[in-house]
Amino acid sequence: MRAADLHRLARTLREIALTSTGNTGADQVNAGELAVIEDVSRNPGATISDVTRRTGLAQSLVSRITHRMADAGIMQVRPDEKDRRKSRLEIEPSARAMFRTRADGSIASALAAHAPKLSAAQRKELTRHLAEAERLLREGQE
């Protein structure tokens, strides 16, 4: 596989993921926002610096995103108890439940929409291969 093919695949998979989770239309969360939400979801109590380091986003962008999300009721931004200059981040419980519901959904209909020429059997096989690729990549990072 060429690097260019991997980039094209990543774009297509991102589109399928966005459709699967209902992250479309006027309320669509952009890539930076999604990276921050995913990171804080995996690392409750993280600081803005922590999120910046893990996501590779600029600290000013992470700060803007987290404060915008706090204003929208999606994220809690609270001062660190030991160092008041730092902020600790957490996803609001109601938002966490909504994200979990969206994340736990099937990709079947989104896959059908993005690959309409595949048969049901081919989509099932592709889903199996995607799950296996995710598992191998996760194992390779642990």
Side-chain angles (χ1 to χ4, degrees), residues 22-86:
N23 188 15
T24 59
D27 293 336
Q28 183 173 357
V29 176
N30 69 40
E33 294 166 336
L34 189 57
V36 170
I37 290 168
E38 288 175 344
D39 187 82
V40 174
S41 291
R42 287 188 188 110
N43 303 284
T47 65
I48 290 172
S49 295
D50 295 335
V51 176
T52 297
R53 186 178 60 259
R54 284 189 295 263
T55 62
L57 299 172
Q59 185 162 345
S60 59
L61 177 60
V62 172
S63 182
R64 279 195 312 273
I65 289 170
T66 56
H67 287 91
R68 197 168 48 240
M69 299 256 174
D71 290 344
I74 295 169
M75 193 174 294
Q76 297 172 2
V77 179
R78 57 181 166 70
D80 184 282
E81 293 177 5
K82 295 178 184 170
D83 184 350
R84 305 297 270 175
R85 295 170 297 172
K86 292 182 180 180

